Amino acid sequence: MYYSEFNQARAVLVCRIARGGDEENDFGPHIERLTTAAEATFGREPRLALLIIIDPGHPLPNSVWRRRVAEATSNAHFKPFFAVVTDNPLARGMLTALSWLRPQRFEAHVGPSEERAIAWLEAKRSERLPDVKLLLDRVMRREPDRRVAPPKAASG
């Protein structure tokens, strides 16, 4: 499931990629939201503060979605301060490696802590960002679609 909250006036976007629903395709709406928010805030101050929460256990994007995310974030309009929160060390390593491998117009922070991600965004924007906390609260209160059964534990 994909959730997002955008405050265009304050240039703040918070996204949550949650367990449940159509996890294989959550990255489609995510890319669309990233693109529209980046374009809506391009060329003005303050720079877009972007917080992405990836719920524990959500699958990593496949190669097609990774390529599409890379294309969207390589766009000239994509210049946010970009913080990703995930407990998955493989995802953190992959996101960090991507930042080393290709030129970027954005600055990124990747880690397991929402508090550190928000503090990083506030430091980059040189201001307190209560909007990030408000929007984060909204996306975290949404319940994922429970119609999809969680993965079964391995037996043996």
Side-chain angles (χ1 to χ4, degrees), residues 17-128:
I17 302 172
R19 293 299 318 259
D22 186 9
E23 292 176 357
E24 288 283 319
N25 293 304
D26 285 341
F27 297 97
H30 180 56
I31 292 168
E32 184 177 324
R33 176 56 109 174
L34 292 179
T35 302
T36 58
E39 290 174 358
T41 58
F42 180 72
R44 65 179 193 120
E45 293 295 328
R47 202 160 142 187
L48 179 64
L50 170 58
L51 176 63
I52 300 171
I53 307 296
I54 303 173
D55 278 5
H58 192 286
L60 295 175
N62 64 31
S63 61
V64 171
W65 285 121
R66 286 193 306 270
R67 187 181 83 259
R68 290 179 183 169
V69 169
E71 289 168 359
T73 59
S74 296
N75 181 305
H77 292 128
F78 195 78
K79 294 185 178 186
F81 295 119
F82 184 130
V84 178
V85 176
T86 177
D87 71 343
N88 184 328
L90 180 60
R92 290 195 310 263
M94 182 179 72
L95 290 164
T96 301
L98 281 175
S99 70
W100 297 337
L101 295 175
R102 62 184 171 90
Q104 304 177 78
R105 294 174 180 85
F106 60 88
E107 293 181 53
H109 165 86
V110 181
S113 165
E114 293 170 9
E115 294 78 19
R116 283 189 177 176
I118 293 169
W120 182 84
L121 288 169
E122 289 178 337
K124 288 297 180 180
R125 286 262 299 251
S126 300
E127 65 177 322
R128 301 290 297 161

